[in-house]
Amino acid sequence: MKKLKKAVVPALLSVSVLGLTACGNGDEGKTLITSKAGDVTTTHVIDQIGKEEIAKNAFQILLNDILKDKYGKKVDEQKIKDDVDAEIKKYGGKEQFEALLQQQSPGMTADKYKESRLTEAYQKQLMNDTVKVSDDEVKDSVKKASHILIKVKSSSDPSGLSDAKAKEKAQSILEQLKKDPDQFASLAKKESGDTGTKEKGGELGYVAKGDTVPEFEKALFKLKEGEMSGLVKSDYGYHIIKAEKQDDFAKQKEALKEKIRQTKVQEKPELMIDAYKKLLKDYNVDYKDEDLKKIIEEKILNTTASQQ
């Protein structure tokens, strides 16, 4: 039901071409293989892979090095490695774990996965420095909620009811809840069409502004803790929404701040693009290849291009 969003950051790319751009030796490049039919040089390989892919790899390697230098002391590298080792053990060992990784990302190994987790941690530190979120902003931007959804049949989801029948059923449930609000969780388990929350009594957890469809958000953020909405119509069907007590807010606060940062970056990707540009300036980055510089500036450090 929720429209989950991700921050716009450069994807972790393969480093299989590491060294290709650095090992060129003249216009022909360094010879890698010789044969009677002809030689294979680094220039041939680069042309085959494409300069844009080389630029993306080069930029990611550069960015990783800078982030590690800047935030290495703030990230518990050993804990991350220990967490990955625990994951490997959970999935039955390194061989089984890497088989799962291969399904999701061909070429990924356990060691590369550990490096990607470290990179994520460094990027998180950069995002924390770049996108500031105060305690008051968190309080204003999230609500803990549960809901019951009676789905309306649509072309994308034929399992729902007709609009009239869905509304009638939702109204009947609402009348029961007005008489006994404590039935909310049990009725959600019995009647809700949201399979993702049904078994949890309709619990959505903390919902941030921008997470859900506008109709749902507008109704939720009008409610005080413990209050319940009337029928709320959205493209999914008819919702009955309850604002839950935020008794674990202090414990969840940092995770909620991260969620809000992600939403902000999704809405304004230039926040992180500008942060990357500042990092490159602070670290005196000097491009030795004009084509590579042009691709990075136009394809990676460009807000419009990064969203395509």
Side-chain angles (χ1 to χ4, degrees), residues 186-235:
S186 61
L187 283 172
K189 290 179 180 180
K190 181 181 178 183
E191 304 289 0
S192 183
D194 183 356
T195 56
T197 65
K198 181 175 183 175
E199 295 305 316
K200 297 183 292 184
E203 291 180 10
L204 287 163
Y206 284 92
V207 178
K209 289 180 178 178
D211 271 357
T212 64
V213 291
E215 302 90 343
F216 190 101
E217 179 179 306
K218 184 178 180 180
L220 172 60
F221 280 84
K222 285 182 178 179
L223 300 175
K224 296 178 181 178
E225 285 189 14
E227 286 186 341
M228 188 173 63
S229 73
L231 298 189
V232 177
K233 177 71 186 300
S234 78
D235 289 341

mmCIF file of all heavy atoms in Angstrom, residues 186-235:
data_model
loop_
_atom_site.group_PDB
_atom_site.id
_atom_site.type_symbol
_atom_site.label_atom_id
_atom_site.label_comp_id
_atom_site.label_asym_id
_atom_site.label_seq_id
_atom_site.Cartn_x
_atom_site.Cartn_y
_atom_site.Cartn_z
ATOM 1 N N SER A 186 -8.465 -7.053 15.495
ATOM 2 C CA SER A 186 -9.110 -8.331 15.140
ATOM 3 C C SER A 186 -9.899 -8.209 13.842
ATOM 4 O O SER A 186 -9.894 -9.122 13.009
ATOM 5 C CB SER A 186 -10.013 -8.808 16.275
ATOM 6 O OG SER A 186 -11.040 -7.867 16.538
ATOM 7 N N LEU A 187 -10.560 -7.064 13.640
ATOM 8 C CA LEU A 187 -11.308 -6.860 12.396
ATOM 9 C C LEU A 187 -10.361 -6.691 11.205
ATOM 10 O O LEU A 187 -10.675 -7.123 10.093
ATOM 11 C CB LEU A 187 -12.227 -5.647 12.523
ATOM 12 C CG LEU A 187 -13.509 -5.890 13.325
ATOM 13 C CD1 LEU A 187 -14.255 -4.582 13.571
ATOM 14 C CD2 LEU A 187 -14.416 -6.890 12.612
ATOM 15 N N ALA A 188 -9.214 -6.059 11.447
ATOM 16 C CA ALA A 188 -8.218 -5.921 10.373
ATOM 17 C C ALA A 188 -7.740 -7.299 9.923
ATOM 18 O O ALA A 188 -7.636 -7.579 8.720
ATOM 19 C CB ALA A 188 -7.048 -5.079 10.852
ATOM 20 N N LYS A 189 -7.445 -8.166 10.897
ATOM 21 C CA LYS A 189 -6.991 -9.520 10.563
ATOM 22 C C LYS A 189 -8.054 -10.296 9.792
ATOM 23 O O LYS A 189 -7.752 -11.097 8.914
ATOM 24 C CB LYS A 189 -6.621 -10.281 11.834
ATOM 25 C CG LYS A 189 -5.348 -9.783 12.513
ATOM 26 C CD LYS A 189 -5.052 -10.579 13.782
ATOM 27 C CE LYS A 189 -3.775 -10.087 14.456
ATOM 28 N NZ LYS A 189 -3.461 -10.836 15.690
ATOM 29 N N LYS A 190 -9.290 -10.027 10.093
ATOM 30 C CA LYS A 190 -10.396 -10.769 9.484
ATOM 31 C C LYS A 190 -10.809 -10.187 8.130
ATOM 32 O O LYS A 190 -11.096 -10.933 7.180
ATOM 33 C CB LYS A 190 -11.595 -10.775 10.431
ATOM 34 C CG LYS A 190 -12.802 -11.544 9.913
ATOM 35 C CD LYS A 190 -13.949 -11.474 10.912
ATOM 36 C CE LYS A 190 -15.194 -12.190 10.389
ATOM 37 N NZ LYS A 190 -16.331 -12.067 11.326
ATOM 38 N N GLU A 191 -10.828 -8.852 8.026
ATOM 39 C CA GLU A 191 -11.474 -8.218 6.880
ATOM 40 C C GLU A 191 -10.559 -7.436 5.931
ATOM 41 O O GLU A 191 -10.922 -7.223 4.776
ATOM 42 C CB GLU A 191 -12.562 -7.245 7.379
ATOM 43 C CG GLU A 191 -13.619 -7.866 8.275
ATOM 44 C CD GLU A 191 -14.565 -8.788 7.519
ATOM 45 O OE1 GLU A 191 -14.407 -8.952 6.306
ATOM 46 O OE2 GLU A 191 -15.488 -9.343 8.154
ATOM 47 N N SER A 192 -9.403 -6.982 6.385
ATOM 48 C CA SER A 192 -8.594 -6.080 5.557
ATOM 49 C C SER A 192 -8.082 -6.749 4.287
ATOM 50 O O SER A 192 -7.683 -7.920 4.294
ATOM 51 C CB SER A 192 -7.407 -5.538 6.354
ATOM 52 O OG SER A 192 -6.673 -4.606 5.568
ATOM 53 N N GLY A 193 -8.072 -5.986 3.218
ATOM 54 C CA GLY A 193 -7.550 -6.470 1.940
ATOM 55 C C GLY A 193 -6.090 -6.153 1.729
ATOM 56 O O GLY A 193 -5.530 -6.499 0.677
ATOM 57 N N ASP A 194 -5.451 -5.507 2.698
ATOM 58 C CA ASP A 194 -4.018 -5.212 2.592
ATOM 59 C C ASP A 194 -3.244 -6.397 3.158
ATOM 60 O O ASP A 194 -3.065 -6.530 4.365
ATOM 61 C CB ASP A 194 -3.687 -3.932 3.358
ATOM 62 C CG ASP A 194 -2.219 -3.540 3.228
ATOM 63 O OD1 ASP A 194 -1.448 -4.299 2.601
ATOM 64 O OD2 ASP A 194 -1.844 -2.485 3.757
ATOM 65 N N THR A 195 -2.786 -7.277 2.266
ATOM 66 C CA THR A 195 -2.118 -8.504 2.709
ATOM 67 C C THR A 195 -0.814 -8.230 3.450
ATOM 68 O O THR A 195 -0.363 -9.065 4.234
ATOM 69 C CB THR A 195 -1.836 -9.423 1.510
ATOM 70 O OG1 THR A 195 -1.059 -8.695 0.533
ATOM 71 C CG2 THR A 195 -3.131 -9.893 0.871
ATOM 72 N N GLY A 196 -0.214 -7.067 3.209
ATOM 73 C CA GLY A 196 1.037 -6.750 3.865
ATOM 74 C C GLY A 196 0.889 -6.402 5.333
ATOM 75 O O GLY A 196 1.856 -6.505 6.110
ATOM 76 N N THR A 197 -0.305 -5.980 5.747
ATOM 77 C CA THR A 197 -0.519 -5.570 7.143
ATOM 78 C C THR A 197 -1.617 -6.361 7.846
ATOM 79 O O THR A 197 -1.772 -6.256 9.059
ATOM 80 C CB THR A 197 -0.890 -4.072 7.216
ATOM 81 O OG1 THR A 197 -2.158 -3.863 6.570
ATOM 82 C CG2 THR A 197 0.174 -3.208 6.558
ATOM 83 N N LYS A 198 -2.369 -7.127 7.102
ATOM 84 C CA LYS A 198 -3.538 -7.830 7.645
ATOM 85 C C LYS A 198 -3.198 -8.675 8.860
ATOM 86 O O LYS A 198 -3.865 -8.578 9.907
ATOM 87 C CB LYS A 198 -4.137 -8.707 6.549
ATOM 88 C CG LYS A 198 -5.378 -9.474 6.975
ATOM 89 C CD LYS A 198 -5.982 -10.220 5.787
ATOM 90 C CE LYS A 198 -7.260 -10.939 6.193
ATOM 91 N NZ LYS A 198 -7.922 -11.556 5.019
ATOM 92 N N GLU A 199 -2.163 -9.506 8.756
ATOM 93 C CA GLU A 199 -1.816 -10.416 9.842
ATOM 94 C C GLU A 199 -1.272 -9.689 11.066
ATOM 95 O O GLU A 199 -1.196 -10.254 12.153
ATOM 96 C CB GLU A 199 -0.812 -11.462 9.353
ATOM 97 C CG GLU A 199 -1.365 -12.400 8.286
ATOM 98 C CD GLU A 199 -2.643 -13.106 8.744
ATOM 99 O OE1 GLU A 199 -2.676 -13.571 9.900
ATOM 100 O OE2 GLU A 199 -3.603 -13.172 7.954
ATOM 101 N N LYS A 200 -0.883 -8.449 10.882
ATOM 102 C CA LYS A 200 -0.373 -7.638 12.003
ATOM 103 C C LYS A 200 -1.463 -6.734 12.579
ATOM 104 O O LYS A 200 -1.156 -5.748 13.257
ATOM 105 C CB LYS A 200 0.818 -6.797 11.538
ATOM 106 C CG LYS A 200 2.017 -7.611 11.074
ATOM 107 C CD LYS A 200 3.197 -6.737 10.702
ATOM 108 C CE LYS A 200 2.922 -5.922 9.468
ATOM 109 N NZ LYS A 200 4.111 -5.131 9.051
ATOM 110 N N GLY A 201 -2.697 -7.056 12.281
ATOM 111 C CA GLY A 201 -3.793 -6.239 12.792
ATOM 112 C C GLY A 201 -3.870 -4.878 12.138
ATOM 113 O O GLY A 201 -4.383 -3.925 12.725
ATOM 114 N N GLY A 202 -3.377 -4.788 10.916
ATOM 115 C CA GLY A 202 -3.440 -3.532 10.162
ATOM 116 C C GLY A 202 -2.303 -2.563 10.447
ATOM 117 O O GLY A 202 -2.288 -1.446 9.925
ATOM 118 N N GLU A 203 -1.328 -2.983 11.252
ATOM 119 C CA GLU A 203 -0.244 -2.073 11.647
ATOM 120 C C GLU A 203 0.634 -1.676 10.458
ATOM 121 O O GLU A 203 1.172 -2.524 9.760
ATOM 122 C CB GLU A 203 0.639 -2.723 12.710
ATOM 123 C CG GLU A 203 -0.048 -2.904 14.051
ATOM 124 C CD GLU A 203 0.872 -3.543 15.077
ATOM 125 O OE1 GLU A 203 2.084 -3.665 14.795
ATOM 126 O OE2 GLU A 203 0.397 -3.926 16.155
ATOM 127 N N LEU A 204 0.789 -0.376 10.278
ATOM 128 C CA LEU A 204 1.675 0.166 9.255
ATOM 129 C C LEU A 204 2.991 0.661 9.843
ATOM 130 O O LEU A 204 3.935 0.956 9.107
ATOM 131 C CB LEU A 204 0.990 1.342 8.531
ATOM 132 C CG LEU A 204 -0.134 0.986 7.567
ATOM 133 C CD1 LEU A 204 -0.973 2.217 7.273
ATOM 134 C CD2 LEU A 204 0.423 0.405 6.281
ATOM 135 N N GLY A 205 3.042 0.758 11.153
ATOM 136 C CA GLY A 205 4.216 1.368 11.777
ATOM 137 C C GLY A 205 4.186 2.869 11.572
ATOM 138 O O GLY A 205 3.111 3.473 11.434
ATOM 139 N N TYR A 206 5.369 3.482 11.543
ATOM 140 C CA TYR A 206 5.441 4.930 11.355
ATOM 141 C C TYR A 206 5.360 5.267 9.863
ATOM 142 O O TYR A 206 6.105 4.726 9.046
ATOM 143 C CB TYR A 206 6.724 5.487 11.947
ATOM 144 C CG TYR A 206 6.679 5.585 13.456
ATOM 145 C CD1 TYR A 206 7.138 4.540 14.250
ATOM 146 C CD2 TYR A 206 6.155 6.713 14.089
ATOM 147 C CE1 TYR A 206 7.089 4.615 15.638
ATOM 148 C CE2 TYR A 206 6.094 6.794 15.466
ATOM 149 C CZ TYR A 206 6.554 5.748 16.241
ATOM 150 O OH TYR A 206 6.493 5.816 17.605
ATOM 151 N N VAL A 207 4.455 6.161 9.542
ATOM 152 C CA VAL A 207 4.252 6.601 8.165
ATOM 153 C C VAL A 207 4.732 8.038 8.049
ATOM 154 O O VAL A 207 4.284 8.917 8.799
ATOM 155 C CB VAL A 207 2.766 6.520 7.775
ATOM 156 C CG1 VAL A 207 2.562 7.033 6.360
ATOM 157 C CG2 VAL A 207 2.262 5.084 7.907
ATOM 158 N N ALA A 208 5.659 8.279 7.122
ATOM 159 C CA ALA A 208 6.166 9.635 6.907
ATOM 160 C C ALA A 208 5.386 10.311 5.785
ATOM 161 O O ALA A 208 4.836 9.643 4.897
ATOM 162 C CB ALA A 208 7.647 9.596 6.557
ATOM 163 N N LYS A 209 5.340 11.626 5.835
ATOM 164 C CA LYS A 209 4.700 12.373 4.750
ATOM 165 C C LYS A 209 5.398 12.032 3.437
ATOM 166 O O LYS A 209 6.615 12.023 3.352
ATOM 167 C CB LYS A 209 4.779 13.874 5.030
ATOM 168 C CG LYS A 209 3.876 14.325 6.173
ATOM 169 C CD LYS A 209 3.974 15.823 6.418
ATOM 170 C CE LYS A 209 3.016 16.250 7.540
ATOM 171 N NZ LYS A 209 3.116 17.693 7.849
ATOM 172 N N GLY A 210 4.598 11.747 2.427
ATOM 173 C CA GLY A 210 5.155 11.359 1.140
ATOM 174 C C GLY A 210 5.199 9.864 0.932
ATOM 175 O O GLY A 210 5.443 9.387 -0.174
ATOM 176 N N ASP A 211 4.960 9.091 1.994
ATOM 177 C CA ASP A 211 5.011 7.626 1.903
ATOM 178 C C ASP A 211 3.781 7.031 1.227
ATOM 179 O O ASP A 211 3.856 5.984 0.599
ATOM 180 C CB ASP A 211 5.115 7.005 3.303
ATOM 181 C CG ASP A 211 6.550 6.835 3.760
ATOM 182 O OD1 ASP A 211 7.455 7.141 2.970
ATOM 183 O OD2 ASP A 211 6.760 6.408 4.898
ATOM 184 N N THR A 212 2.637 7.663 1.422
ATOM 185 C CA THR A 212 1.380 7.059 0.985
ATOM 186 C C THR A 212 0.656 7.961 -0.009
ATOM 187 O O THR A 212 1.074 9.093 -0.282
ATOM 188 C CB THR A 212 0.450 6.823 2.191
ATOM 189 O OG1 THR A 212 0.088 8.085 2.765
ATOM 190 C CG2 THR A 212 1.147 5.984 3.256
ATOM 191 N N VAL A 213 -0.456 7.443 -0.526
ATOM 192 C CA VAL A 213 -1.262 8.237 -1.451
ATOM 193 C C VAL A 213 -1.819 9.453 -0.713
ATOM 194 O O VAL A 213 -2.031 9.415 0.513
ATOM 195 C CB VAL A 213 -2.403 7.389 -2.044
ATOM 196 C CG1 VAL A 213 -1.840 6.326 -2.977
ATOM 197 C CG2 VAL A 213 -3.245 6.745 -0.961
ATOM 198 N N PRO A 214 -2.041 10.563 -1.415
ATOM 199 C CA PRO A 214 -2.444 11.827 -0.764
ATOM 200 C C PRO A 214 -3.689 11.726 0.111
ATOM 201 O O PRO A 214 -3.739 12.337 1.178
ATOM 202 C CB PRO A 214 -2.674 12.771 -1.953
ATOM 203 C CG PRO A 214 -1.820 12.226 -3.036
ATOM 204 C CD PRO A 214 -1.842 10.733 -2.863
ATOM 205 N N GLU A 215 -4.695 10.982 -0.346
ATOM 206 C CA GLU A 215 -5.951 10.887 0.421
ATOM 207 C C GLU A 215 -5.705 10.266 1.797
ATOM 208 O O GLU A 215 -6.251 10.717 2.803
ATOM 209 C CB GLU A 215 -6.984 10.048 -0.336
ATOM 210 C CG GLU A 215 -7.329 10.559 -1.722
ATOM 211 C CD GLU A 215 -6.444 9.981 -2.810
ATOM 212 O OE1 GLU A 215 -5.369 9.435 -2.487
ATOM 213 O OE2 GLU A 215 -6.845 10.072 -3.991
ATOM 214 N N PHE A 216 -4.863 9.236 1.805
ATOM 215 C CA PHE A 216 -4.540 8.544 3.054
ATOM 216 C C PHE A 216 -3.749 9.478 3.972
ATOM 217 O O PHE A 216 -4.053 9.607 5.157
ATOM 218 C CB PHE A 216 -3.728 7.284 2.743
ATOM 219 C CG PHE A 216 -3.530 6.371 3.922
ATOM 220 C CD1 PHE A 216 -4.315 5.240 4.068
ATOM 221 C CD2 PHE A 216 -2.565 6.629 4.884
ATOM 222 C CE1 PHE A 216 -4.141 4.373 5.153
ATOM 223 C CE2 PHE A 216 -2.377 5.781 5.962
ATOM 224 C CZ PHE A 216 -3.165 4.653 6.105
ATOM 225 N N GLU A 217 -2.738 10.125 3.407
ATOM 226 C CA GLU A 217 -1.888 11.021 4.208
ATOM 227 C C GLU A 217 -2.698 12.166 4.819
ATOM 228 O O GLU A 217 -2.545 12.478 6.000
ATOM 229 C CB GLU A 217 -0.774 11.583 3.326
ATOM 230 C CG GLU A 217 0.151 12.553 4.049
ATOM 231 C CD GLU A 217 1.256 13.074 3.156
ATOM 232 O OE1 GLU A 217 1.984 12.248 2.568
ATOM 233 O OE2 GLU A 217 1.387 14.303 3.054
ATOM 234 N N LYS A 218 -3.547 12.786 4.029
ATOM 235 C CA LYS A 218 -4.349 13.923 4.505
ATOM 236 C C LYS A 218 -5.219 13.515 5.693
ATOM 237 O O LYS A 218 -5.296 14.229 6.703
ATOM 238 C CB LYS A 218 -5.221 14.461 3.371
ATOM 239 C CG LYS A 218 -6.023 15.702 3.741
ATOM 240 C CD LYS A 218 -6.817 16.198 2.540
ATOM 241 C CE LYS A 218 -7.633 17.438 2.898
ATOM 242 N NZ LYS A 218 -8.423 17.926 1.724
ATOM 243 N N ALA A 219 -5.849 12.353 5.580
ATOM 244 C CA ALA A 219 -6.720 11.887 6.664
ATOM 245 C C ALA A 219 -5.915 11.515 7.902
ATOM 246 O O ALA A 219 -6.292 11.860 9.026
ATOM 247 C CB ALA A 219 -7.533 10.682 6.181
ATOM 248 N N LEU A 220 -4.802 10.829 7.726
ATOM 249 C CA LEU A 220 -3.993 10.378 8.860
ATOM 250 C C LEU A 220 -3.462 11.538 9.682
ATOM 251 O O LEU A 220 -3.526 11.531 10.915
ATOM 252 C CB LEU A 220 -2.833 9.514 8.359
ATOM 253 C CG LEU A 220 -1.776 9.126 9.406
ATOM 254 C CD1 LEU A 220 -2.401 8.330 10.547
ATOM 255 C CD2 LEU A 220 -0.646 8.329 8.749
ATOM 256 N N PHE A 221 -2.933 12.544 9.000
ATOM 257 C CA PHE A 221 -2.268 13.629 9.726
ATOM 258 C C PHE A 221 -3.246 14.613 10.379
ATOM 259 O O PHE A 221 -2.830 15.532 11.070
ATOM 260 C CB PHE A 221 -1.261 14.341 8.816
ATOM 261 C CG PHE A 221 0.040 13.584 8.706
ATOM 262 C CD1 PHE A 221 0.185 12.550 7.804
ATOM 263 C CD2 PHE A 221 1.106 13.880 9.546
ATOM 264 C CE1 PHE A 221 1.370 11.830 7.726
ATOM 265 C CE2 PHE A 221 2.292 13.170 9.481
ATOM 266 C CZ PHE A 221 2.423 12.136 8.564
ATOM 267 N N LYS A 222 -4.534 14.390 10.172
ATOM 268 C CA LYS A 222 -5.538 15.165 10.903
ATOM 269 C C LYS A 222 -5.872 14.506 12.246
ATOM 270 O O LYS A 222 -6.461 15.142 13.124
ATOM 271 C CB LYS A 222 -6.826 15.278 10.077
ATOM 272 C CG LYS A 222 -6.738 16.261 8.915
ATOM 273 C CD LYS A 222 -8.078 16.314 8.200
ATOM 274 C CE LYS A 222 -8.058 17.319 7.060
ATOM 275 N NZ LYS A 222 -9.362 17.358 6.345
ATOM 276 N N LEU A 223 -5.515 13.237 12.388
ATOM 277 C CA LEU A 223 -5.897 12.478 13.576
ATOM 278 C C LEU A 223 -4.925 12.690 14.737
ATOM 279 O O LEU A 223 -3.722 12.818 14.536
ATOM 280 C CB LEU A 223 -5.947 10.979 13.250
ATOM 281 C CG LEU A 223 -6.919 10.533 12.156
ATOM 282 C CD1 LEU A 223 -6.738 9.048 11.873
ATOM 283 C CD2 LEU A 223 -8.361 10.822 12.567
ATOM 284 N N LYS A 224 -5.479 12.697 15.940
ATOM 285 C CA LYS A 224 -4.660 12.689 17.146
ATOM 286 C C LYS A 224 -4.450 11.241 17.566
ATOM 287 O O LYS A 224 -5.168 10.342 17.110
ATOM 288 C CB LYS A 224 -5.354 13.468 18.269
ATOM 289 C CG LYS A 224 -5.540 14.948 17.963
ATOM 290 C CD LYS A 224 -6.276 15.640 19.100
ATOM 291 C CE LYS A 224 -6.481 17.120 18.791
ATOM 292 N NZ LYS A 224 -7.235 17.822 19.875
ATOM 293 N N GLU A 225 -3.472 10.997 18.433
ATOM 294 C CA GLU A 225 -3.196 9.635 18.890
ATOM 295 C C GLU A 225 -4.464 8.988 19.458
ATOM 296 O O GLU A 225 -5.172 9.586 20.266
ATOM 297 C CB GLU A 225 -2.103 9.636 19.962
ATOM 298 C CG GLU A 225 -0.716 9.866 19.405
ATOM 299 C CD GLU A 225 0.351 9.649 20.460
ATOM 300 O OE1 GLU A 225 0.052 9.077 21.519
ATOM 301 O OE2 GLU A 225 1.513 10.066 20.228
ATOM 302 N N GLY A 226 -4.742 7.787 18.986
ATOM 303 C CA GLY A 226 -5.909 7.045 19.468
ATOM 304 C C GLY A 226 -7.166 7.300 18.670
ATOM 305 O O GLY A 226 -8.145 6.561 18.812
ATOM 306 N N GLU A 227 -7.173 8.334 17.830
ATOM 307 C CA GLU A 227 -8.362 8.653 17.042
ATOM 308 C C GLU A 227 -8.458 7.772 15.794
ATOM 309 O O GLU A 227 -7.460 7.267 15.289
ATOM 310 C CB GLU A 227 -8.366 10.118 16.625
ATOM 311 C CG GLU A 227 -8.692 11.078 17.741
ATOM 312 C CD GLU A 227 -8.824 12.512 17.259
ATOM 313 O OE1 GLU A 227 -8.322 12.831 16.151
ATOM 314 O OE2 GLU A 227 -9.424 13.313 17.993
ATOM 315 N N MET A 228 -9.693 7.654 15.291
ATOM 316 C CA MET A 228 -9.963 6.840 14.113
ATOM 317 C C MET A 228 -10.689 7.693 13.074
ATOM 318 O O MET A 228 -11.513 8.541 13.419
ATOM 319 C CB MET A 228 -10.829 5.645 14.523
ATOM 320 C CG MET A 228 -11.052 4.601 13.454
ATOM 321 S SD MET A 228 -11.933 3.174 14.178
ATOM 322 C CE MET A 228 -13.484 3.964 14.671
ATOM 323 N N SER A 229 -10.381 7.449 11.821
ATOM 324 C CA SER A 229 -11.001 8.215 10.737
ATOM 325 C C SER A 229 -12.366 7.649 10.382
ATOM 326 O O SER A 229 -12.755 6.566 10.844
ATOM 327 C CB SER A 229 -10.107 8.177 9.492
ATOM 328 O OG SER A 229 -10.166 6.880 8.882
ATOM 329 N N GLY A 230 -13.065 8.378 9.514
ATOM 330 C CA GLY A 230 -14.230 7.816 8.845
ATOM 331 C C GLY A 230 -13.728 7.038 7.644
ATOM 332 O O GLY A 230 -12.561 6.634 7.594
ATOM 333 N N LEU A 231 -14.591 6.822 6.650
ATOM 334 C CA LEU A 231 -14.156 6.137 5.436
ATOM 335 C C LEU A 231 -13.303 7.080 4.587
ATOM 336 O O LEU A 231 -13.659 8.233 4.368
ATOM 337 C CB LEU A 231 -15.354 5.669 4.612
ATOM 338 C CG LEU A 231 -16.296 4.647 5.266
ATOM 339 C CD1 LEU A 231 -17.290 4.133 4.232
ATOM 340 C CD2 LEU A 231 -15.524 3.494 5.891
ATOM 341 N N VAL A 232 -12.160 6.570 4.143
ATOM 342 C CA VAL A 232 -11.242 7.351 3.306
ATOM 343 C C VAL A 232 -11.089 6.614 1.984
ATOM 344 O O VAL A 232 -10.601 5.485 1.945
ATOM 345 C CB VAL A 232 -9.867 7.516 3.987
ATOM 346 C CG1 VAL A 232 -8.917 8.274 3.060
ATOM 347 C CG2 VAL A 232 -10.010 8.223 5.326
ATOM 348 N N LYS A 233 -11.495 7.251 0.896
ATOM 349 C CA LYS A 233 -11.441 6.611 -0.431
ATOM 350 C C LYS A 233 -10.118 6.936 -1.113
ATOM 351 O O LYS A 233 -9.689 8.083 -1.158
ATOM 352 C CB LYS A 233 -12.607 7.103 -1.294
ATOM 353 C CG LYS A 233 -12.606 6.548 -2.717
ATOM 354 C CD LYS A 233 -12.964 5.069 -2.751
ATOM 355 C CE LYS A 233 -12.836 4.471 -4.142
ATOM 356 N NZ LYS A 233 -13.720 5.116 -5.126
ATOM 357 N N SER A 234 -9.481 5.894 -1.654
ATOM 358 C CA SER A 234 -8.286 6.078 -2.480
ATOM 359 C C SER A 234 -8.418 5.150 -3.681
ATOM 360 O O SER A 234 -9.417 4.437 -3.829
ATOM 361 C CB SER A 234 -7.016 5.735 -1.690
ATOM 362 O OG SER A 234 -6.824 4.329 -1.595
ATOM 363 N N ASP A 235 -7.415 5.122 -4.534
ATOM 364 C CA ASP A 235 -7.440 4.231 -5.694
ATOM 365 C C ASP A 235 -7.452 2.763 -5.282
ATOM 366 O O ASP A 235 -7.808 1.895 -6.080
ATOM 367 C CB ASP A 235 -6.230 4.493 -6.596
ATOM 368 C CG ASP A 235 -6.341 5.826 -7.320
ATOM 369 O OD1 ASP A 235 -7.463 6.351 -7.420
ATOM 370 O OD2 ASP A 235 -5.306 6.336 -7.777
#
